[in-house]
Amino acid sequence: MLKVVLIRHGKTLGNLKGRYIGCKTDENLCSLGIEEIRKKQYPKAELVYASPMKRCLETAALIYPKLSVETNIQLKECDFGKFENKNYQELSSVKEYQEWIDSNGTLPFPNGEGVEEFRERCIKGFEECILKAFSKEHMQIAMVVHGGTIMSILSHFAEPKGEYFKWQIGNGEFYLLHIDREAWEQKKEISLVQKG
């Protein structure tokens, strides 16, 4: 049985301002984000996989300072295109933003990534990390990624099933997953254990 601690990175200034912070804005954690991560307890791990964005690497270093971190580019946050680094107020008069909202977020981001393209990329990155963990016979790993990455992974793999936004979590929060190797190899299925 492989245990996976699936962690959303700590807060950045963009998160505090409600901005769409995707793969084109490589922000550091803000002081509040660092403080919150330091106060929280996280399950142990043998190895960390992470998005290569600064906010994920800094979070991984704070939580698991003695562990090596292996990056996977597939785990990066979505490319929000024209909406990148802007918040609701700044976009409220933009026609394309209203169209995107009216579509319930199903339209591709203008000059950015499509929803399905993004989710498939995240799923591929997660599968790569799980296969590596199994091949190295790890028992417990951590993955430090983005909110959208987590929602993409869990809406695809988790049992019981749940739609995309059901899996939304705050900065610095995590899900602890159990993955039975046989169930994974047969159905690529994970069990959701707890949220922390």
Side-chain angles (χ1 to χ4, degrees):
M1 181 73 72
L2 174 66
K3 292 180 181 178
V4 181
V5 189
L6 193 56
I7 306 166
R8 184 180 177 196
H9 64 79
K11 283 188 179 84
T12 68
L13 193 57
N15 294 141
L16 292 177
K17 293 183 175 182
R19 298 185 181 280
Y20 288 91
I21 304 297
C23 65
K24 291 186 176 169
T25 308
D26 202 9
E27 287 191 322
N28 295 90
L29 298 180
C30 64
S31 55
L32 176 62
I34 293 169
E35 183 184 330
E36 288 176 346
I37 293 292
R38 285 187 173 146
K39 285 181 178 175
K40 195 167 173 74
Q41 293 283 77
Y42 293 89
K44 292 180 182 177
E46 300 164 61
L47 177 75
V48 182
Y49 294 100
S51 157
M53 306 298 287
K54 287 178 191 173
R55 54 200 184 265
C56 294
L57 297 176
E58 288 176 10
T59 301
L62 286 167
I63 299 171
Y64 302 106
K66 295 180 181 176
L67 296 183
S68 62
V69 177
E70 191 174 313
T71 61
N72 184 310
I73 198 165
Q74 308 285 356
L75 300 173
K76 285 173 95 171
E77 182 59 281
C78 189
D79 180 349
F80 294 122
K82 275 180 84 170
F83 305 160
E84 182 76 26
N85 206 13
K86 294 182 173 67
N87 62 26
Y88 172 78
Q89 290 84 4
E90 293 165 326
L91 292 166
S92 61
S93 62
V94 176
K95 181 180 176 246
E96 290 161 309
Y97 184 66
Q98 191 54 56
E99 289 169 352
W100 181 79
I101 293 289
D102 292 344
S103 79
N104 290 320
T106 58
L107 286 176
F109 291 99
N111 301 328
E113 207 166 5
V115 176
E116 287 309 311
E117 177 188 1
F118 166 63
R119 291 181 188 178
E120 286 171 18
R121 171 170 63 75
C122 295
I123 289 162
K124 182 180 176 195
F126 182 76
E127 288 176 342
E128 288 171 1
C129 295
I130 297 306
L131 287 174
K132 279 186 185 179
F134 279 137
S135 72
K136 294 176 182 178
E137 299 188 348
H138 288 300
M139 300 298 290
Q140 190 150 328
I141 64 167
M143 296 178 75
V144 182
V145 294
H146 309 270
T149 308
I150 291 171
M151 291 188 289
S152 296
I153 291 165
L154 294 182
S155 63
H156 183 79
F157 291 112
E159 287 294 334
K161 292 286 182 211
E163 58 91 27
Y164 183 79
F165 290 104
K166 172 189 175 180
W167 305 111
Q168 196 165 20
I169 60 172
N171 294 98
E173 293 182 348
F174 66 87
Y175 287 107
L176 181 58
L177 317 173
H178 283 187
I179 304 178
D180 176 78
R181 187 168 191 161
E182 193 174 310
W184 178 260
E185 288 171 353
Q186 288 176 4
K187 299 187 283 183
K188 290 202 172 148
E189 188 176 283
I190 63 177
S191 301
L192 193 65
V193 177
Q194 71 184 63
K195 181 179 174 184

